[in-house]
Amino acid sequence: MGDTRALGNWRLVASILVALVLLLWLLLSPPGQGTLKQSSLNANDDSATDISKARTFSSVIKSGQLTPGEETELFSSSDGPGYTTEQWFTFPGIGPHTIVRVFVDGESSPSIEYNLHLGHAIGCNATEESKLVPWNTAFISHNAPFSSAIKNNYRIPFGKSIRITVVPPKTVHNSGSSFPKFEYIYWYIIHGVLNAPLVVGGHRLPNTARLRLYKQENRLVQPLDYITMVDVKKSAGWLFQIMMSAESLTLAFLEGCHRAEIDGGETQFFSSGTEDLFSGAFYFDGGIFHSDDVGLTCFQKPAVKDAYNYSQEELYMRLQKKYGDGPYPQSHVTAYKFFVKDPLLFHKSLRFRWRSGETATDNDRCPRTSQRTKAGLKGVSKGYPLPLKATVTLYSWVYHY
């Protein structure tokens, strides 16, 4: 009896020790290479960040002077590791034509280079955008007209150093600024932290993570063309955000679905139509909206109502009757999506594509359960309205690790 009791006590003690060791291992083990640890789904929740050894950095420029067409440094630091937590820009009158560049760890070419407006998903011209401000989301905001008070909370990590520059336009034409005397005068703020674990949108990233921007700018896209937005090989990562800005005579290009091949696997469809990925529907018939995850920041309907109901020849006849020999007003869409609450992750490779329009019969078609027909629909692509050529800019922000 005594031996049985002793054996039972020993087993109890052993079980407790094993449980303690396992708990200790879980608490102390860092996130592995190629993994993303989730602590929260709140957009900028830092609950997983140990800040006991971290420190903040900050820099501002007040009433800085730019030289037209020449690159100017906004900020540089060699105190890494660290990451940016906020940048705020006021570039009255020149924002739509200003380029921001980010060089990380001694890069000779910037891993991030973006148009100041499109980098914050601002697609309308200065006059139209000024009617929409202020608007705020978790990662991007625009709070004053004419390229003023543009802010982002992009977390751009660096190991040793970071350098941020700006290139203003050589000339300004019809800037729309109500303060023409301020053109080429700017204000800038940057904040960040050093020696802190990198947490983005509640997700803990490996210390090796770096943010890159992939771009397709002012691409002339023919009907049913594919555009590869991201093509990453031999890397793990997270597709963090996408932005689309497109113009065409009709909105039929929005029939196109998004596709992804993750780690060399089969094609997965990520939307049942372009606007669907951005949480819109029926060609964004709900109009402009801004939220933390998705938004439509600029929208212009086609000049001809139900333009996709007509063949290209009939559409041009109607446009010519209304506007003469042109140029003809373009429909316009600018939208963004952050893959934070539904992260798109990969371990080896990622190819992410968009198609301008869609067909119902080819092998790579967007899935459907029935064949749709519509009486009187003349400009069709085997079941869907046929898009016309479009001019498209696509930004894809990817964390590599």
Side-chain angles (χ1 to χ4, degrees):
M1 178 75 71
D3 291 342
T4 303
R5 255 185 219 159
L7 182 60
N9 291 338
W10 180 84
R11 286 177 177 170
L12 178 61
V13 171
S15 299
I16 293 173
L17 287 174
V18 169
L20 288 174
V21 170
L22 181 60
L23 179 61
L24 196 60
W25 178 79
L26 289 172
L27 289 173
L28 296 180
S29 294
Q33 180 76 8
T35 63
L36 189 76
K37 183 178 179 181
Q38 179 180 341
S39 64
S40 168
L41 290 181
N42 292 332
N44 282 313
D45 182 2
D46 289 341
S47 60
T49 304
D50 177 4
I51 60 173
S52 61
K53 297 181 181 180
R55 60 190 177 93
T56 296
F57 67 83
S58 177
S59 179
V60 306
I61 299 174
K62 183 179 179 68
S63 302
Q65 177 68 60
L66 296 168
T67 300
E70 293 190 11
E71 189 169 16
T72 298
E73 183 174 282
L74 299 179
F75 175 75
S76 66
S77 172
S78 299
D79 296 330
Y83 54 86
T84 65
T85 56
E86 181 171 294
Q87 291 186 80
W88 176 93
F89 303 82
T90 288
F91 283 64
I94 60 173
H97 311 287
T98 295
I99 303 300
V100 179
R101 294 172 175 168
V102 182
F103 303 81
V104 172
D105 296 334
E107 291 173 329
S108 57
S109 298
S111 51
I112 299 172
E113 181 179 80
Y114 60 87
N115 173 283
L116 177 59
H117 273 210
L118 293 178
H120 297 81
I122 301 169
C124 286
N125 61 43
T127 300
E128 291 301 314
E129 175 67 14
S130 295
K131 299 175 184 177
L132 302 173
V133 296
W135 56 266
N136 287 270
T137 75
F139 291 103
I140 53 177
S141 63
H142 191 193
N143 289 320
F146 303 115
S147 303
S148 301
I150 298 173
K151 189 192 76 167
N152 72 65
N153 293 100
Y154 298 149
R155 300 198 164 180
I156 304 175
F158 56 96
K160 295 182 179 179
S161 64
I162 187 170
R163 181 171 177 261
I164 301 174
T165 68
V166 65
V167 182
K170 292 182 179 179
T171 58
V172 178
H173 301 286
N174 190 25
S175 68
S177 174
S178 58
F179 310 105
K181 63 180 180 180
F182 282 162
E183 289 175 353
Y184 296 102
I185 304 295
Y186 71 99
W187 291 256
Y188 174 74
I189 302 171
I190 183 171
H191 298 157
V193 294
L194 302 172
N195 302 315
L198 178 60
V199 179
V200 181
H203 303 296
R204 170 70 185 277
L205 275 69
N207 293 334
T208 56
R210 296 293 181 268
L211 183 61
R212 296 185 63 89
L213 175 60
Y214 297 89
K215 301 181 295 182
Q216 296 278 357
E217 293 185 300
N218 296 316
R219 174 89 173 263
L220 182 61
V221 182
Q222 299 299 327
L224 305 180
D225 271 0
Y226 292 91
I227 294 186
T228 298
M229 299 172 61
V230 177
D231 191 6
V232 176
K233 297 179 176 66
K234 298 181 180 180
S235 173
W238 169 21
L239 177 55
F240 171 64
Q241 183 220 356
I242 61 171
M243 184 283 307
M244 176 182 191
S245 188
E247 290 187 344
S248 183
L249 287 175
T250 79
L251 291 171
F253 62 86
L254 292 175
E255 292 287 351
C257 301
H258 294 84
R259 301 150 162 84
E261 290 84 44
I262 300 173
D263 298 332
E266 295 183 355
T267 299
Q268 300 183 54
F269 285 84
F270 271 75
S271 71
S272 53
T274 303
E275 76 274 29
D276 306 350
L277 187 66
F278 302 102
S279 294
F282 300 112
Y283 295 179
F284 287 117
D285 64 347
I288 288 174
F289 65 98
H290 307 86
S291 73
D292 289 346
D293 305 315
V294 289
L296 176 67
T297 64
C298 188
F299 182 59
Q300 180 62 52
K301 293 182 179 181
V304 175
K305 186 178 180 180
D306 296 330
Y308 55 81
N309 278 326
Y310 306 104
S311 68
Q312 180 172 317
E313 292 75 16
E314 289 173 324
L315 177 61
Y316 276 109
M317 286 177 58
R318 289 173 178 270
L319 287 169
Q320 190 172 38
K321 183 177 180 180
K322 188 173 183 179
Y323 297 101
D325 293 331
Y328 304 130
Q330 301 281 306
S331 60
H332 181 99
V333 167
T334 298
Y336 64 87
K337 176 178 175 64
F338 289 93
F339 291 89
V340 175
K341 292 182 179 179
D342 59 336
L344 199 170
L345 309 174
F346 57 97
H347 292 274
K348 297 178 182 178
S349 63
L350 172 66
R351 186 170 70 146
F352 192 79
R353 296 178 294 150
W354 171 74
R355 192 179 195 183
S356 179
E358 201 66 60
T359 72
T361 57
D362 63 18
N363 292 333
D364 193 32
R365 65 186 181 276
C366 197
R368 59 185 296 173
T369 58
S370 62
Q371 183 74 22
R372 184 182 69 175
T373 60
K374 185 172 182 180
L377 191 62
K378 300 177 181 179
V380 300
S381 176
K382 296 182 179 179
Y384 294 110
L386 179 67
L388 302 180
K389 63 183 179 180
T391 302
V392 180
T393 292
L394 299 163
Y395 281 10
S396 304
W397 301 75
V398 179
Y399 281 102
H400 289 256
Y401 41 85

